[in-house]
């Protein structure tokens, strides 16, 4: 008899458990472009060299599985951020560049849409412009990620049962929301949104209004250059507090610029973007402890740059110059574009002493790019007919940037295989309620399907 009872309990309990344990709040986090090498590198970047052990990171603590990222067959095996975010948001694979639409360009419902229909509050918090591919795939439906203004318009125009899709939007985007033909910021304000354009205002959000926070023209400044190096974590803290309510909330958070660092093969930028994401996760670790009915799922949409720890047959990776960095390579390049290049200045900006050879790489990069620009201008002036076919040389700033990232790659022994994306699987991390659902190998579409289920959709 006892055995029978036990067997019945075993059969019934998982169902009762599954029924009762749906999380109240779901936070989905995308580290754009964050392939596994990035979180490994971050472990060594973050390591305290004074201790014998390599300290664990927040990523290490919460790894649960892996995810494949391939798009719909029409786009092959390597995804872009739009198709990947559409998969993560809707559970459907689509073509590269699609925003919340399927291969026939038919609009798809996102987990955010569905959460809103269930009476939850919704939000997006990103470090790109808020109408960029990843957040757009949760909030919009468009045949192309490049229709930025249309996507921005849809945030105001497309409602769910008469309500705005998002109760909270934080990121960049003045360029697309304050335009000559339309001022969406004013429209949102008139519709009752509280608008803020600086981080300080995050500490005094009016509890009962929906909020729109735009903090930059397009993407936010690089983490390392920003007046708050942990702006994602700051925005996240404010939004969890703001979105809390009886019915719970769904929120998308994106560390958008890991991908941008990967595209420009800039390991310094990548590490400081990861540091901001790590601080965000550390905050959410404590948040989940005090709100155990919250689920946090973290993954990457794909892998950018083919980043490698240990390149050129050297069995080493040395993050020292990354740790002591004060300025991004972008900022250093911009500064050197506008000022005469002296060794003292470059040393100061990079916060380490360059060898003579390294310095000559930087100054040569500038002078030869300037020359090429000059030659190009002269050719265009001489021959207007054929000038359309002439290839514009790289900008001086870009040339200086490459010379600096090359030096940093050599010093750290970092490698890159591409300026684009690779098709390698990505990691999945989870914490809080129902986190075990995300363990093992899954597809990016499964992540959306699991979230739909947790939100009560079959
Ligand atoms: Mg993105
Ligand atoms: Zn990308």
């Amino acid at each position: 008899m006892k055995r029978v009872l036990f067997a019945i309990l075993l059969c019934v309990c998982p169902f009762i458990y599954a029924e009762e344990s749906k999380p109240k709040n779901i936070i989905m986090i995308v580290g754009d472009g964050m392939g596994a090498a990035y979180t490994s590198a971050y472990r060594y970047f973050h390591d305290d060299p004074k201790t014998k052990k390599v300290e664990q990171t927040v990523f290490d603590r919460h790894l649960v599985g892996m995810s494949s990222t391939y798009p719909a067959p029409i786009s092959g095996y390597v995804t872009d951020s739009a198709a990947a975010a559409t998969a993560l948001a809707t559970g459907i694979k689509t073509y590269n560049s699609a925003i919340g639409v399927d291969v026939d360009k038919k609009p798809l419902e996102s987990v955010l849409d569905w959460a809103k229909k269930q009476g939850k509050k919704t939000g997006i918090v990103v470090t790109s412009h808020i109408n960029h591919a990843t957040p757009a795939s949760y909030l919009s439906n468009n045949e192309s990620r490049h229709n930025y203004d249309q996507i921005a318009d849809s945030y105001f125009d497309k409602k769910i049962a008469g309500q705005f899709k998002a109760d909270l939007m934080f990121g960049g985007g003045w360029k697309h929301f304050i335009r000559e033909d339309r001022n969406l910021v004013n429209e949102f304000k008139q519709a009752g949104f509280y608008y803020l354009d600086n981080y300080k205002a995050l500490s005094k959000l009016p509890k009962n209004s929906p909020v729109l926070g735009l903090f930059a023209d397009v993407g936010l400044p690089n983490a390392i250059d920003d007046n708050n190096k942990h702006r994602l974590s700051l925005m996240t803290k404010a939004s969890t507090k703001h979105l809390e309510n009886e019915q719970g909330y769904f929120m998308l958070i994106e560390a958008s610029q890991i991908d941008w660092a990967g595209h420009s093969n800039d390991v310094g930028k990548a590490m400081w973007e990861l540091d901001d994401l790590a601080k965000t996760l550390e905050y959410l670790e404590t948040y989940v402890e005090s709100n155990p009915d919250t689920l946090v799922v973290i993954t990457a949409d794909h892998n950018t740059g083919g980043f490698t720890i240990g390149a050129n047959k050297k069995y080493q990776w040395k993050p020292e110059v990354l740790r002591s960095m004060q300025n991004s390579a972008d900022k250093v390049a911009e500064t050197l574009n506008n000022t005469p290049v002296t060794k003292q200045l470059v040393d100061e900006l990079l916060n380490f002493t360059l060898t003579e050879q390294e310095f000559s790489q930087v100054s040569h990069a500038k002078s030869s790019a300037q020359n090429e620009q000059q030659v190009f201008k002269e050719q265009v002036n001489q021959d207007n007919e054929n000038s359309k076919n002439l290839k514009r040389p790289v900008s001086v700033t870009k040339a200086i940037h490459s010379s600096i990232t090359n030096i940093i790659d050599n010093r750290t022994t970092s490698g890159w295989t591409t300026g684009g994306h690779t098709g390698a699987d990505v990691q999945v991390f989870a914490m809080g309620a129902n986190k075990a659902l995300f363990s093992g190998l899954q597809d990016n579409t499964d992540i959306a399907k699991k979230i739909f289920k947790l939100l009560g959709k079959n």
Side-chain angles (χ1 to χ4, degrees):
M1 183 60 193
K2 253 186 198 162
R3 220 181 268 169
V4 174
L5 241 174
F6 183 64
I8 290 172
L9 273 175
L10 261 186
C11 291
V12 172
C13 272
F15 292 106
I16 299 172
Y17 185 69
E19 255 325 293
E20 284 180 350
S21 72
K22 291 211 170 92
K24 178 176 169 189
N25 310 313
I26 300 181
I27 301 175
M28 177 72 210
I29 305 184
V30 177
D32 199 308
M34 190 178 69
Y38 287 87
T39 52
S40 308
Y42 182 72
R43 184 189 301 129
Y44 312 125
F45 169 82
H46 166 271
D47 176 42
D48 178 356
K50 291 193 284 293
T51 62
K52 266 192 185 165
K53 69 171 182 190
V54 174
E55 280 77 15
Q56 260 201 343
T57 68
V58 70
F59 299 103
D60 295 334
R61 286 197 287 278
H62 301 290
L63 179 75
V64 294
M66 295 294 287
S67 168
S68 48
T69 65
Y70 60 91
I74 189 170
S75 293
Y77 297 124
V78 181
T79 192
D80 80 335
S81 289
T86 300
L88 290 169
T90 70
I92 306 284
K93 287 197 184 290
T94 187
Y95 61 94
N96 283 345
S97 180
I99 298 291
V101 297
D102 67 11
V103 286
D104 301 317
K105 303 186 176 172
K106 217 177 75 220
L108 299 165
E109 181 177 56
S110 74
V111 287
L112 185 147
D113 295 337
W114 177 258
K116 186 83 204 175
K117 284 181 195 163
Q118 307 317 301
K120 291 194 186 290
K121 286 201 172 176
T122 53
I124 55 154
V125 176
V126 301
T127 52
S128 59
H129 22 318
I130 61 169
N131 52 338
H132 200 251
T134 310
S137 299
Y138 282 81
L139 278 179
S140 194
N141 313 94
N142 200 293
E143 62 176 281
S144 170
R145 62 185 291 176
H146 301 293
N147 294 330
Y148 283 120
D149 289 348
Q150 280 182 16
I151 292 167
D153 288 348
S154 78
Y155 288 9
F156 188 87
D157 297 334
K158 291 271 163 66
K159 312 271 195 318
I160 288 183
Q163 290 185 64
F164 288 99
K165 283 193 181 185
D167 301 290
L168 178 149
M169 291 175 274
F170 289 156
W174 297 326
K175 183 183 169 187
H176 302 287
F177 285 78
I178 307 172
R179 313 191 306 258
E180 239 158 58
D181 64 315
R182 196 165 175 188
N183 186 329
L184 288 159
V185 166
N186 280 345
E187 292 184 48
F188 272 113
K189 279 201 236 168
Q190 278 154 20
F193 271 71
Y194 175 76
Y195 174 67
L196 59 157
D197 63 3
N198 63 86
Y199 298 146
K200 267 193 197 134
L202 285 166
S203 62
K204 42 176 195 235
L205 301 177
K207 180 67 190 167
N208 291 317
S209 319
V211 292
L212 171 66
L214 298 179
F215 309 106
D217 203 28
V218 275
L220 305 186
N222 289 333
I224 189 167
D225 301 328
D226 208 340
N227 57 30
N228 191 319
K229 286 183 175 41
H230 298 114
R231 71 278 203 245
L232 185 66
S233 129
L234 186 76
M235 292 190 293
T236 300
K237 280 177 199 166
S239 40
T240 47
K241 282 179 197 123
H242 190 76
L243 288 174
E244 267 165 14
N245 75 100
E246 278 290 295
Q247 306 295 317
Y249 61 82
F250 174 86
M251 166 158 54
L252 167 79
I253 298 173
E254 185 194 28
S256 322
Q257 299 195 27
I258 297 165
D259 177 63
W260 301 359
H263 281 292
S264 56
N265 291 178
D266 186 336
V267 62
K269 177 170 161 62
M271 287 304 106
W272 287 97
E273 295 299 327
L274 255 88
D275 194 56
D276 191 9
L277 176 57
K279 291 286 175 303
T280 306
L281 299 185
E282 282 163 16
Y283 161 69
L284 289 173
E285 239 176 359
T286 61
Y287 183 83
V288 162
E289 236 166 72
S290 45
N291 299 271
D293 49 2
T294 301
L295 166 69
V296 183
V297 182
I298 304 108
T299 191
D301 47 356
H302 52 73
N303 193 337
T304 306
F307 172 50
T308 307
I309 311 162
N312 312 323
K313 286 194 178 169
K314 285 184 203 142
Y315 289 47
Q316 58 183 27
W317 195 67
K318 295 180 161 179
E320 289 77 7
V321 295
L322 305 174
R323 294 190 192 125
S324 60
M325 254 178 134
Q326 300 291 331
N327 304 294
S328 72
D330 289 330
K331 194 170 167 192
V332 175
E334 259 171 49
T335 310
L336 295 179
N337 181 35
N338 300 320
T339 343
V341 177
T342 66
K343 182 155 185 310
Q344 194 196 346
L345 177 62
V346 186
D347 285 359
E348 220 174 82
L349 288 169
L350 290 174
N351 206 21
F352 62 83
T353 308
L354 276 84
T355 63
E356 285 304 326
Q357 201 210 339
E358 286 171 334
F359 173 69
S360 77
Q361 269 175 257
V362 180
S363 65
H364 179 74
K366 181 175 180 179
S367 56
S368 65
Q370 278 174 330
N371 278 343
E372 282 172 38
Q373 291 287 346
Q374 190 56 36
V375 171
F376 177 75
K377 257 187 218 155
E378 281 161 16
Q379 280 175 328
V380 171
N381 286 341
Q382 273 169 16
D383 188 353
N384 263 329
E385 265 305 284
N386 288 322
S387 65
K388 271 179 241 139
N389 303 325
L390 291 173
K391 206 179 157 229
R392 181 178 283 279
V394 296
S395 71
V396 178
T397 312
K398 226 176 186 171
I400 303 171
H401 181 273
S402 303
S403 72
I404 288 161
T405 51
N406 278 335
I407 291 166
I408 291 172
D409 282 348
N410 282 332
R411 287 207 172 217
T412 56
T413 327
S414 301
W416 306 88
T417 61
T418 175
H421 298 171
T422 74
D425 291 354
V426 294
Q427 302 163 100
V428 181
F429 312 84
M431 37 180 149
N434 306 78
K435 70 170 193 178
L437 256 182
F438 297 85
S439 60
L441 176 66
Q442 59 222 293
D443 185 56
N444 55 6
T445 53
D446 295 329
I447 292 176
K449 286 172 193 164
K450 290 169 190 177
I451 291 177
F452 269 130
K453 215 171 220 171
L454 291 173
L455 290 167
K457 189 184 183 187
N458 294 313

